[in-house]
Amino acid sequence: MIRVFIVGASSLARAGLQNLLVDCDLEVVASVSNLDALGGSFPDAEADALIIEASGENSESVLDSLAHSDLASEIPVVLLAGNRWPAESVRTDFGTASRDALRAGVRAVLPNNVAPSQLFAALQAVAAGLVVLHPSEIDARSPAAAPASQPLAELTEPLTRREREVLQMLASGLANKEIAVRLNISDHTAKFHVGSILGKLGAASRTEAVALGIRRGLVLL
């Protein structure tokens, strides 16, 4: 059973989401009103995913909080965007809200009226280390909607052996703390390696770094 932690400003929204998740045979371990209550890191409560119910009014502040914390590296984050989340942002190729969400480490961005079956499938995916895109984003990024991919230029600075190891672990969905344990290094060093990988590959997020790594043959599938 997938265990979920909920963050949402509205107690009514949190209660509704909790009931929906329970109906989907998911366990809700706890819920809080905002990310500040977490203090920038995830509590000891065991959970497989974090759902943030973000209305249009606070979506930007939510992304900013995630970008300035290690929370998204500790647990997969699913963002349920409110009705005021700009639809045009979803249709712009990695240029606006969706890119900001991925850069902040969010694994899935879905409308807050998503069907229970879709939410359940998304939670299963992010818990397995995958990234979930809403159908409107997939349509916008289809070959018919985007120009053909250009050949990748040579990297200005190649990845080191250790960075390639870390990139492979990112592809497996490991968080910074898990990478640190696997390599017997500090969390800070693991985070430094991830940042260096993103910089060398020109990636805006861990997910984009893995995608670019696959295209360059740096990641073994």
Side-chain angles (χ1 to χ4, degrees):
M1 177 181 290
I2 297 176
R3 298 157 298 180
V4 180
F5 197 105
I6 299 174
V7 175
S10 167
S11 58
L12 185 61
R14 293 199 308 272
L17 185 55
Q18 180 165 343
N19 290 335
L20 184 152
L21 293 171
V22 170
D23 289 342
C24 291
D25 199 26
L26 300 169
E27 178 185 354
V28 177
V29 297
S31 67
V32 294
S33 60
N34 55 65
L35 290 174
D36 291 338
L38 300 179
S41 61
F42 199 69
D44 292 335
E46 293 185 357
D48 302 302
L50 171 66
I51 294 183
I52 302 177
E53 200 288 322
S55 64
E57 291 82 356
N58 69 1
S59 57
E60 290 186 4
S61 62
V62 166
L63 294 182
D64 185 64
S65 297
L66 286 172
H68 290 85
S69 74
D70 293 328
L71 186 61
S73 67
E74 297 176 6
I75 184 171
V77 175
V78 175
L79 181 68
L80 297 183
N83 294 330
R84 291 184 59 189
W85 183 273
E88 65 273 13
S89 297
V90 176
R91 297 185 177 89
T92 302
D93 185 23
F94 286 111
T96 46
S98 297
R99 177 170 182 171
D100 291 340
L102 291 175
R103 179 180 295 162
V106 174
R107 293 283 185 87
V109 182
L110 301 169
N112 58 2
N113 61 349
V114 63
S117 59
Q118 291 179 314
L119 180 57
F120 179 71
L123 287 168
Q124 287 183 308
V126 299
L130 303 177
V131 173
V132 177
L133 296 177
H134 191 259
S136 58
E137 296 183 70
I138 296 174
D139 292 342
R141 295 187 174 95
S142 67
S149 298
Q150 298 296 321
L152 292 172
E154 289 294 323
L155 294 178
T156 303
E157 185 179 356
L159 269 60
T160 65
R161 181 188 61 80
R162 177 48 59 88
E163 288 168 348
R164 292 175 67 128
E165 282 185 277
V166 172
L167 179 59
Q168 187 68 48
M169 292 181 186
L170 291 180
S172 299
L174 298 186
N176 289 354
K177 287 186 176 180
E178 295 171 306
I179 292 173
V181 171
R182 292 279 186 93
L183 298 178
N184 194 27
I185 58 179
S186 68
D187 292 355
H188 176 78
T189 300
K191 186 175 181 180
F192 174 82
H193 285 316
V194 172
S196 180
I197 291 168
L198 266 61
K200 289 182 178 181
L201 293 178
S205 69
R206 297 157 69 96
T207 303
E208 190 177 356
V210 171
L212 289 171
I214 292 173
R215 289 183 62 191
R216 291 181 178 277
L218 300 173
V219 175
L220 300 178
L221 298 177

